[in-house]
Amino acid sequence: MGQAGAGRPGGVGFRPLYRQVYDMLLKRLADAVWQPGQMLPSEGQLAVELGVSQGTVRKALDALTADSLVVRRQGRGTFVADHDDKQSVFRFLKLRPDNDGVGMPTSRVTGIAEAAASADERGRLDLVRAARVVRIERVRAVDARLCVAETISVPASLFPGIATLELPNTLYSLYATRYGITIATANERLKAVALGAREADLLQAPAGTPALEIDRIAIDLEERPVEWRLSTCLTQEVHYLSVLR
């Protein structure tokens, strides 16, 4: 594999060789060539197949690991990240107990239905006017503390039949294993709000209680917005942890 078409070093459009390998491996993940939890070929095998050095492959895999798309397991190999893994769960769930507990979150679905997409849903998910969505309403607990009420909207065309399923605690794992859609990144907006009547009922708290609203758009490996999640969080005993690098 050469760098033909990549541009001159330092020139417009130039991408280092390891980033080109990264893109090729990312395409395989997007095409579900390797399933969540599956072990990738060795660095040596990939290097021979792609016609690059083993060091270049290692650098590309390091970048995929940094993006939490693959997981290195000492003495075993490199595996496609599984969103049921604790590392993957906490990559997207940033709420932590104030007492430093690290228990896995739990969830309970309170409603699910397919409907015509609202104007907001069409705008956030880049949908056409006639599109339909599946809306999932659920509550979540962190370290057994009921603290999140959320509404999740996904395009019905990408997730056929999801409204009839028994949904797992970690939806992103279901997206990957059943629908071949891997969440790569998420954009979140945070705002201080007062607890509304519906959220207050779900969270068993007084309406008007100060809360944190997390507005998230989840992006898949093909750079499509595939989920809009609006979470209302009580923060009396939990906090939002953001690690800046």
Side-chain angles (χ1 to χ4, degrees), residues 11 29 71 80 84 88 90 92 113 118 148 158 176 193 205 210 215-216 220 233 241:
L29 293 175
V71 178
V80 180
D84 277 336
S88 295
F90 286 112
F92 290 102
S118 68
V148 182
L158 293 180
V193 298
D215 185 326
R216 176 195 295 177
D220 74 353
C233 314
L241 177 65

Side-chain angles (χ1 to χ4, degrees), residues 52-143:
V52 298
S53 72
Q54 193 166 323
T56 298
V57 170
R58 183 176 302 116
K59 197 169 181 180
L61 290 174
D62 286 343
L64 288 168
T65 301
D67 290 340
S68 298
L69 297 174
V70 300
V71 178
R72 295 283 184 82
R73 293 175 182 161
Q74 187 67 34
R76 296 179 59 193
T78 302
F79 296 77
V80 180
D82 186 330
H83 286 293
D84 277 336
D85 289 342
K86 190 171 185 178
Q87 175 183 349
S88 295
V89 169
F90 286 112
R91 177 189 174 203
F92 290 102
L93 181 69
K94 300 300 184 181
L95 294 178
R96 300 290 190 276
D98 289 342
N99 64 4
D100 294 327
V102 291
M104 292 290 283
T106 58
S107 62
R108 176 171 57 87
V109 174
T110 57
I112 183 167
E114 182 176 327
S118 68
D120 284 342
E121 288 166 330
R122 294 196 301 270
R124 302 308 299 279
L125 295 171
D126 195 21
L127 299 174
V128 299
R129 188 173 184 83
R132 297 181 66 78
V133 297
V134 175
R135 295 188 195 115
I136 302 163
E137 181 184 77
R138 68 177 185 174
V139 292
R140 306 198 82 183
V142 177
D143 261 7

Side-chain angles (χ1 to χ4, degrees), residues 189-195 208-214 231-233 235:
R189 300 189 301 193
L190 301 135
K191 180 182 293 188
V193 298
L195 205 61
T209 299
L212 175 69
E213 181 183 87
I214 305 174
S231 304
T232 305
C233 314
T235 59

